[in-house]
Amino acid sequence: MKIDVVRKLPDVLDTIVLCQYEKGKLDVFEEWLPDAMLDAVKRFINAENITFQPRELYTFHYYYKHQATKIILVGMPKSEQLTAEQVRYSLADIIRLCLKLKSKQIYILPGFDFDLTDAMLGQVLAETALLTVYKFDKYLSETSSEMPDALHLVQDTKNTRNLNKGILEGRILADATNLARDLVNEPANVITPDTLAEAAKKAALEYSFQVEIYNMDKLRRLKMEAFLAVGKGSKYEPRLIIMRHQGNPDARQDITALIGKGITFDSGGYCLKSPQGMVNMKTDMAGAAAVIGTMAAIANLKLNVNVTAIIAACENMVSGEAYHAGDIVRSMSGKTIEVVNTDAEGRLTLIDAIHYAIDREHASRIIDIATLTGAAVGALGTSISAVVTNDQNWYAKLEEASELSGEHIWQLPAFEEYKSLLKSEIADLKNTGAPWGGAITAALFIQEFVQNLPWLHIDIAGTASKDKESGYFNAGATGVGVRLLTTLLKSME
Ligand code: BES
Ligand code: MN
Ligand code: ZN
């Protein structure tokens, strides 16, 4: 889908979108629309009593130059209160209606100045359009994938440089997010540790970042026993996926590590999940998908930062080979762990990946992103990710990135008290705490392995997928994390 800025309307119009807020004036459209069409719009507004309430949409056909022009009227929140996320929501409404109307050429006429910078407006326009039209329909025998050909923002401005720059960035962000969504939406019989590694390789080739894949032998030599224990029950071998973007050669030692949870299916292991708890567990590699998408985006944007992403990819299954409840494993760090619950597997893979990032890749700071706990879903629901940190200043930057990207976060505290819940009598740690506070104790477990480096822990168990359409997402994977992390890394340039 083409997305651009135009200064003129063509003679023959397919779809035209008129945005206005309550009590806003229609006169602003005078210079754009032919008189007869503007009269028709005014008559329609009177007949339907349209007052442009926020997120209200109306549509009618108007015959103009032998063509049925689809006219869409959109109510917007008043411009001083307009946030980027509100613009995204309104745009998503518009795009969905255009899909229904099978619009091909869409012209958007904002009837007022958006309270966003040109760059942000361009970004929001492109990312929302491309996120909203996304579909995962490759397994449907019959599809109805009629896409608009182009979306044009009509603006009376000579200087479209920042708008166009924003559009390009929005496209990069949306493409990377949709790449992550594809990986998460693919079922576990397609995405295995090996095919996930292949997907990382493919992205590396397409967007130009480095990639290395370690197999079993190498992982045994690295003594990643906690990670390997989780993967033992699967017929698919684990893989360690290492991706590097060296965007700042002047500061080679400054490396941000992104650690993504890559459980390609989480059955729970011998602490087996219920059918209901298991059905969506192909999404347990959404953290991995988020870091692959982020690498694609930052390489594409050529961000001036050094980032190394690590995914410990494996499958948590049951078999005669699987790890048992009660096993004691020695992590790569040397710390021993009593596995009191085989379903608390994500943290076992993450801590070996984190230790590897610090020990072998010389990471200066750590971000881990994981579909880690049902408790995070219980605490914050499905549109807010839970974050735990040991660095409030860095967290403040993440909050800014959250504001800009519209990916909501909320901080959970990591008070020392709950650390005692992870004490084991027979090993250095056990892998779960109490029946409550699970999102916090999972984070505290991980914190034991970050060696006091600045650390952000993002639990996306609730936000990685939607069970029904909402905002600019349809049902299924959201690619959460890609826009948040890319925006954060951009602010660290
Ligand atoms: N992958 C799950 C967490 C999860 C739950 C993700 C719901 C998405 C939706 C994780 O591996 C898990 O099973 N966590 C357990 C931990 C418990 C055994 C301490 C949980 O949250 O129940
Ligand atoms: Mn689990
Ligand atoms: Zn899991």
Side-chain angles (χ1 to χ4, degrees):
M1 184 166 61
K2 184 176 165 182
I3 299 160
D4 64 6
V5 187
V6 295
R7 291 181 59 202
K8 233 175 69 188
L9 288 176
D11 279 346
V12 180
L13 282 166
D14 169 32
T15 299
I16 181 154
V17 183
L18 308 177
C19 307
Q20 194 46 280
Y21 55 84
E22 198 184 355
K23 299 197 183 92
K25 292 217 169 70
L26 276 181
D27 310 354
V28 288
F29 300 119
E30 253 164 43
E31 58 171 312
W32 300 102
L33 301 184
D35 289 347
M37 195 185 278
L38 191 67
D39 280 348
V41 170
K42 285 181 178 161
R43 279 199 304 275
F44 183 73
I45 287 172
N46 285 334
E48 297 287 325
N49 248 325
I50 296 172
T51 52
F52 289 100
Q53 295 302 308
R55 298 194 67 184
E56 232 173 42
L57 287 130
Y58 291 88
T59 183
F60 69 102
H61 283 74
Y62 177 70
Y63 282 87
Y64 179 68
K65 299 207 171 171
H66 310 294
Q67 158 111 8
T69 297
K70 297 176 265 293
I71 299 182
I72 298 174
L73 303 174
V74 188
M76 303 287 287
K78 200 151 170 56
S79 80
E80 304 97 73
Q81 321 155 346
L82 208 55
T83 65
E85 190 66 352
Q86 284 174 320
V87 178
R88 289 192 190 94
Y89 273 73
S90 287
L91 281 168
D93 293 342
I94 294 167
I95 304 286
R96 282 192 209 290
L97 181 55
C98 289
L99 285 172
K100 223 183 278 164
L101 297 172
K102 301 196 192 314
S103 297
K104 288 290 164 197
Q105 295 285 333
I106 307 162
Y107 289 83
I108 298 189
L109 270 175
F112 55 92
D113 285 331
F114 284 93
D115 206 21
L116 304 174
T117 63
D118 278 2
M120 196 60 186
L121 178 59
Q123 178 190 320
V124 161
L125 180 75
E127 76 184 335
T128 309
L130 296 169
L131 292 173
T132 307
V133 299
Y134 171 88
K135 273 192 206 155
F136 185 74
D137 57 5
K138 64 191 274 200
Y139 296 109
L140 289 173
S141 307
E142 272 168 56
T143 62
S144 58
S145 39
E146 282 209 52
M147 288 279 162
D149 293 330
L151 179 65
H152 311 280
L153 181 68
V154 187
Q155 287 262 296
D156 184 18
T157 165
K158 281 200 186 77
N159 189 355
T160 55
R161 199 171 159 264
N162 286 335
L163 270 170
N164 283 319
K165 207 177 142 215
I167 288 173
L168 185 67
E169 285 198 23
R171 185 180 285 281
I172 288 173
L173 285 168
D175 285 349
T177 303
N178 289 342
L179 163 65
R181 291 166 91 182
D182 274 343
L183 292 173
V184 176
N185 280 329
E186 286 287 0
N189 56 336
V190 174
I191 291 290
T192 63
D194 180 50
T195 58
L196 186 63
E198 289 305 317
K201 274 195 198 166
K202 187 166 168 250
L205 207 64
E206 186 170 345
Y207 299 101
S208 296
F209 57 83
Q210 290 175 24
V211 64
E212 239 183 296
I213 312 293
Y214 290 172
N215 63 16
M216 264 307 249
D217 293 343
K218 178 79 183 178
L219 301 178
R220 280 208 194 93
R221 265 181 276 136
L222 283 169
K223 299 202 163 67
M224 300 180 95
E225 202 188 295
F227 167 31
L228 289 177
V230 175
K232 269 167 48 179
S234 170
K235 70 170 178 174
Y236 305 114
E237 267 192 23
R239 293 282 183 272
L240 190 75
I241 306 169
I242 303 145
M243 294 165 278
R244 301 183 193 90
H245 167 76
Q246 273 149 351
N248 187 5
D250 295 338
R252 271 182 200 288
Q253 9 21 316
D254 187 285
I255 300 169
T256 303
L258 304 181
I259 317 290
K261 174 174 171 181
I263 302 295
T264 58
F265 186 72
D266 182 10
S267 70
Y270 272 99
C271 304
L272 197 64
K273 289 187 182 292
S274 66
Q276 218 209 30
M278 203 185 296
V279 68
N280 207 23
M281 280 303 138
K282 67 171 186 182
T283 66
D284 214 18
M285 36 59 72
V291 308
I292 294 172
T294 303
M295 292 305 284
I298 65 171
N300 208 346
L301 291 166
K302 300 194 169 48
L303 288 194
N304 185 19
V305 290
N306 301 319
V307 179
T308 299
I310 312 288
I311 298 166
C314 69
E315 195 187 39
N316 188 19
M317 297 293 279
V318 282
S319 86
E321 314 281 311
Y323 74 150
H324 320 93
D327 280 0
I328 298 174
V329 296
R330 185 180 298 277
S331 67
M332 186 184 178
S333 73
K335 286 198 173 96
T336 56
I337 301 157
E338 182 188 0
V339 180
V340 293
N341 192 321
T342 61
D343 198 12
E345 83 296 337
R347 62 198 76 182
L348 297 172
T349 65
L350 290 167
I351 53 116
D352 270 355
I354 289 172
H355 188 79
Y356 170 86
I358 299 172
D359 200 47
R360 302 298 167 110
E361 301 283 336
H362 313 294
S364 338
R365 62 186 74 78
I366 307 285
I367 301 175
D368 73 84
I369 179 160
T371 47
L372 202 63
T373 65
V377 195
L380 299 176
T382 58
S383 43
I384 308 164
S385 301
V387 180
V388 173
T389 183
N390 60 4
D391 185 334
Q392 282 313 128
N393 290 329
W394 199 18
Y395 179 76
K397 287 201 153 219
L398 189 69
E399 268 189 318
E400 276 170 36
S402 158
E403 199 100 334
L404 287 169
S405 64
E407 289 193 5
H408 302 315
I409 58 168
W410 202 256
Q411 185 176 3
L412 296 181
F415 296 116
E416 299 261 320
E417 276 100 316
Y418 292 174
K419 268 195 201 168
S420 62
L421 298 169
L422 297 169
K423 275 207 183 110
S424 160
E425 298 292 327
I426 52 173
D428 297 332
L429 286 166
K430 53 181 188 166
N431 73 331
T432 65
W436 37 262
I440 293 173
T441 51
L444 287 171
F445 179 89
I446 290 170
Q447 191 175 9
E448 290 297 304
F449 297 84
V450 299
Q451 304 183 29
N452 285 322
L453 290 177
W455 164 67
L456 295 168
H457 162 79
I458 310 175
D459 194 330
I460 56 169
T463 49
S465 69
K466 304 241 171 241
D467 47 15
K468 57 177 198 287
E469 167 185 308
S470 100
Y472 39 94
F473 291 113
N474 58 7
T478 58
V480 71
V482 175
R483 291 179 308 129
L484 177 69
L485 292 177
T486 306
T487 310
L488 173 71
L489 290 163
K490 197 176 160 198
S491 76
M492 291 164 59
E493 270 189 309

